Amino acid sequence: MKFGLKAICLAGVLVTTAVYASTTLSPNQINNSGSIPSGHADLKFVLSNGNWVKNIYLPNTANHQDKITIQSSAGWKSYLDTSNTNLPIEVLEIQSGDTFQFVYDANLKKWVTQLAAISPTTNAQFEEIALNNTKLQRILLADGKWAKTIALPSNVNDGTLVQITSTATYPSEISKTNLLFPSSFNLTQGSEYWLKYNAALQKWVPEFIKPVKINVKDIGASLTTVTAPVTEINFADANWVPNFTLPTTANDRDRIWIKSTATWSAKINNTNISSDATLTLKKGDQYEFMFVSDKGHWVLMSAPTKVIEANGSIASVLPNMTEPTLKVRISNTNWRQTINLPTSARVGDKVILSSTADTDSFVLATNGLSTTIKNGENRRFIFTSQGWTIDSHTIDMLFVNSPEVTAIIGESAAKLRLIEGLNLTNVTAENSSAKFYLRQTGYITYKMPASTLLDAIYVGRSDTTVQNERKRVLADGVYYQGNEPGAGGCGWAWINASYYNMIGANDIAGCSVAAMRHEVGHNLGIYHNDSTNIGSGFAHPLGSTALGGNNLNFYSSPYLYNPKYGVRLGEEGKKDAVSVINATAVRISQYH
């Protein structure tokens, strides 16, 4: 009977295997597409020369435990969108010889990469883990496969991504010798890290850190010790304290998230924090702090913002500050002739007003501040020991669009492209606490009489059509969007511009909309990252500022940090674009 039962079960397994035998597909079989179809329990997607696609996408839905294997022998690289996988990177590069396997987890609603586990072998106090040459690897610590301290090697390929987890009874740690920052990389049961090797830095860079979650009722009004790179403090009903204080110290770049679902608000004390601004924790709020060891304090990395929308009601006196920033959007719907800034605030609090209303509003404060906000303007105010003060200057721009651009992408798209560039410039200025916002005061379609883009910023300074329109709309400067060859660059601008030289330009062929913040940065006195001038950009393999590689929404400053990696985005006395911008913005805003 036992043998018969086993035989029946085995037959069932064989039948099941036959039904769900692996299916092989390639791009050519699905209309040269990289969108892998769903509905296969075990699918192999194969790339080869002549049967290749650049971008690959896994199905958004599948049955639990469905499996997809991707193999490539193609000479060209492909890129897998990882947004619906457990990989903490945006894309996975696939090249000849690579094989990756994913299994769908219906509970997570994600494709989970399948990795063979490498573990310590000696139960020693210290062991360097021997990794291989594959892109994705996993290190598992477990009882009997454990070391007090594990070290990651440096003789691996650039971009190697490793998942580190632990199920071991005893705690351990990752050696800090070749990590990006010496944070609290401890390993306990349930720990999970993903680190990526960056050959340029010769460092392992954290891409994902599973936070250690703590209920505030279990620790009371303060956290005394940090034991992980990311600690999440949770507030909720029946899990609440009225005040909370961060630790006096931690390891470099350790982070603390503070979240709340509680009905009652709480206060985060400013003790040990670089900011004196209002830090009220309300339902739905999340704050993030990062410890910077050479400064000896926690830096506020992100905070909730209170927003009064364009269709919301604006009181004659704005509400007292509950978060570090209050944004008010003024429209014809909620326009007020006079807007009074909050009567209660802390040093460092900011109010940002933006207006699309046809009529100006007066802005007043109890300390005597009086100004206006006009249509299309953004105005920022900061609370100081003397009360509210103006924290931004408006630089009015005339946009000049070449008819060649209109012929290529259409008039609406051409206008939208300039508006997107302006908005991104303003976001970058705001993120950086740079004291300016751009405002569009004019737009014309006009071909600069120039053969190259560089010529355009020469002739545009005295071109009658451009300068007459500039004077008519009272613009401080000119920005040209063309299709001329760049003459060595996709954008050009005069550095530290005088009234005569206040012009920048970019072409649509080689430049993204981020070019405007770069070129306007030049106008405001900023040099490229390779300059020794204090007002220069900052370049780094993990992200660069607007005058560096131009892939982060910041201008350089020693007081700013890469939001994901914690790298300081400047150097005091050497790379500080924001200090230069803040010194020049008021002068340039008066050119009209």
Side-chain angles (χ1 to χ4, degrees):
M1 290 293 293
K2 289 182 179 179
F3 288 115
L5 179 60
K6 187 177 289 187
I8 291 170
C9 291
L10 182 60
V13 170
L14 291 173
V15 169
T16 301
T17 303
V19 170
Y20 295 104
S22 176
T23 301
T24 300
L25 288 177
S26 63
N28 289 354
Q29 293 173 273
I30 51 173
N31 299 317
N32 297 314
S33 171
S35 297
I36 300 175
S38 59
H40 298 276
D42 187 357
L43 174 66
K44 186 181 293 184
F45 190 72
V46 179
L47 303 159
S48 60
N49 291 329
N51 196 356
W52 171 87
V53 68
K54 182 177 181 179
N55 298 310
I56 301 173
Y57 305 89
L58 293 169
N60 286 324
T61 59
N63 292 321
H64 187 60
Q65 296 298 302
D66 279 0
K67 181 170 67 176
I68 291 178
T69 303
I70 301 174
Q71 291 182 343
S72 179
S73 61
W76 296 93
K77 293 179 181 178
S78 295
Y79 300 90
L80 174 69
D81 174 17
T82 60
S83 59
N84 58 352
T85 76
N86 70 324
L87 293 175
I89 52 176
E90 293 182 1
V91 293
L92 175 63
E93 182 182 281
I94 302 171
Q95 59 188 22
S96 182
D98 284 342
T99 298
F100 301 106
Q101 188 174 91
F102 298 88
V103 173
Y104 192 74
D105 187 316
N107 297 315
L108 298 175
K109 296 183 179 179
K110 288 185 176 182
W111 292 92
V112 177
T113 184
Q114 302 301 290
L115 304 174
I118 304 167
S119 298
T121 58
T122 60
N123 284 343
Q125 289 296 303
F126 180 91
E127 182 173 337
E128 181 175 288
I129 305 298
L131 299 176
N132 56 41
N133 292 326
T134 57
K135 284 190 178 72
L136 304 178
Q137 301 183 58
R138 181 188 178 201
I139 298 173
L140 170 65
L141 278 74
D143 291 341
K145 299 178 179 180
W146 176 90
K148 177 66 176 175
T149 301
I150 63 166
L152 299 175
S154 297
N155 60 338
V156 294
N157 294 330
D158 184 40
T160 297
L161 183 66
V162 60
Q163 180 191 36
I164 305 174
T165 58
S166 178
T167 61
T169 304
Y170 292 103
S172 54
E173 65 178 355
I174 304 172
S175 171
K176 301 177 176 65
T177 53
N178 57 356
L179 301 185
L180 180 64
F181 292 109
S183 306
S184 301
F185 281 96
N186 297 311
L187 285 159
T188 57
Q189 282 188 341
S191 293
E192 181 183 2
Y193 304 108
W194 288 83
L195 293 103
K196 187 176 182 180
Y197 187 71
N198 187 292
L201 298 172
Q202 296 185 317
K203 299 287 185 182
W204 287 90
V205 176
E207 294 290 342
F208 171 80
I209 298 169
K210 182 180 179 181
V212 171
K213 297 185 178 183
I214 299 174
N215 290 326
V216 72
K217 68 177 182 180
D218 295 332
I219 57 173
S222 63
L223 178 66
T224 56
T225 305
V226 175
T227 61
V230 178
T231 304
E232 181 181 306
I233 309 295
N234 289 292
F235 284 64
D237 291 341
N239 174 34
W240 179 86
V241 294
N243 294 277
F244 187 76
T245 302
L246 272 64
T248 304
T249 189
N251 282 321
D252 197 26
R253 269 54 174 193
D254 282 347
R255 301 197 188 211
I256 291 178
W257 303 343
I258 304 179
K259 300 180 178 181
S260 180
T261 60
T263 303
W264 299 97
S265 296
K267 177 185 176 183
I268 301 173
N269 295 320
N270 299 87
T271 309
N272 307 323
I273 297 173
S274 62
S275 172
D276 288 322
T278 302
L279 305 176
T280 304
L281 180 70
K282 304 194 310 301
K283 186 174 184 177
D285 283 349
Q286 176 176 332
Y287 288 83
E288 181 175 353
F289 301 91
M290 181 180 74
F291 192 78
V292 180
S293 59
D294 65 326
K295 300 293 185 181
H297 60 218
W298 294 91
V299 173
L300 179 62
M301 296 296 289
S302 66
T305 298
K306 180 177 177 61
V307 180
I308 299 175
E309 297 290 356
N311 57 358
S313 177
I314 300 175
S316 60
V317 180
L318 295 177
N320 290 334
M321 300 298 294
T322 54
E323 290 90 0
T325 304
L326 167 65
K327 289 189 174 183
V328 182
R329 299 189 172 107
I330 306 165
S331 66
N332 288 330
T333 302
N334 63 6
W335 176 84
R336 276 188 174 274
Q337 184 177 24
T338 302
I339 298 173
N340 290 274
L341 297 177
T343 56
S344 177
R346 290 181 59 88
V347 171
D349 285 344
K350 295 180 180 180
V351 172
I352 300 169
L353 306 179
S354 60
S355 180
T356 59
D358 295 331
T359 309
D360 299 351
S361 291
F362 293 100
V363 182
L364 305 175
T366 55
N367 64 330
L369 180 148
S370 178
T371 187
T372 60
I373 181 167
K374 302 174 182 178
N375 177 272
E377 265 194 307
N378 294 278
R379 301 294 303 274
R380 186 169 69 240
F381 305 86
I382 188 168
F383 195 79
T384 69
S385 57
Q386 285 76 45
W388 290 104
T389 185
I390 297 170
D391 195 45
S392 67
H393 307 283
T394 301
I395 298 175
D396 291 329
M397 300 295 291
L398 167 64
F399 288 156
V400 181
N401 177 63
S402 170
E404 293 179 357
V405 174
T406 301
I408 296 169
I409 63 175
E411 186 73 12
S412 295
K415 288 181 178 179
L416 182 60
R417 200 173 189 277
L418 286 164
I419 292 169
E420 288 177 346
L422 178 145
N423 290 339
L424 187 59
T425 303
N426 287 345
V427 166
T428 303
E430 188 173 296
N431 289 347
S432 309
S433 294
K435 297 180 185 295
F436 81 96
Y437 290 103
L438 300 184
R439 177 176 66 149
Q440 176 190 341
T441 56
Y443 176 94
I444 59 172
T445 298
Y446 176 71
K447 172 71 171 72
M448 289 282 194
S451 58
T452 69
L453 200 66
L454 180 57
D455 290 338
I457 69 166
Y458 275 92
V459 302
R461 298 176 299 176
S462 54
D463 183 90
T464 302
T465 299
V466 171
Q467 293 302 322
N468 283 348
E469 183 66 9
R470 177 187 179 184
K471 292 172 184 176
R472 188 186 74 82
V473 298
L474 301 177
D476 300 305
V478 175
Y479 196 84
Y480 178 64
Q481 178 175 262
N483 189 45
E484 292 82 0
C490 79
W492 289 92
W494 297 99
I495 299 176
N496 195 16
S498 64
Y499 175 88
Y500 179 61
N501 288 334
M502 185 57 192
I503 182 171
N506 73 259
D507 71 63
I508 63 164
C511 280
S512 73
V513 295
M516 186 182 295
R517 67 180 177 194
H518 180 102
E519 304 308 335
V520 169
H522 281 315
N523 290 156
L524 288 163
I526 310 307
Y527 294 78
H528 289 152
N529 58 277
D530 55 1
S531 169
T532 58
N533 189 291
I534 185 174
S536 63
F538 173 81
H540 193 275
L542 299 177
S544 303
T545 62
L547 276 294
N550 198 12
N551 53 20
L552 292 177
N553 295 335
F554 295 94
Y555 292 104
S556 69
S557 169
Y559 307 108
L560 299 172
Y561 299 85
N562 184 308
K564 181 174 182 178
Y565 299 111
V567 174
R568 187 177 282 122
L569 299 178
E571 189 175 353
E572 204 158 351
K574 294 184 178 180
K575 288 188 179 294
D576 189 355
V578 172
S579 69
V580 174
I581 289 171
N582 290 349
T584 59
V586 61
R587 166 172 56 85
I588 292 175
S589 70
Q590 296 170 348
Y591 281 168
H592 61 274

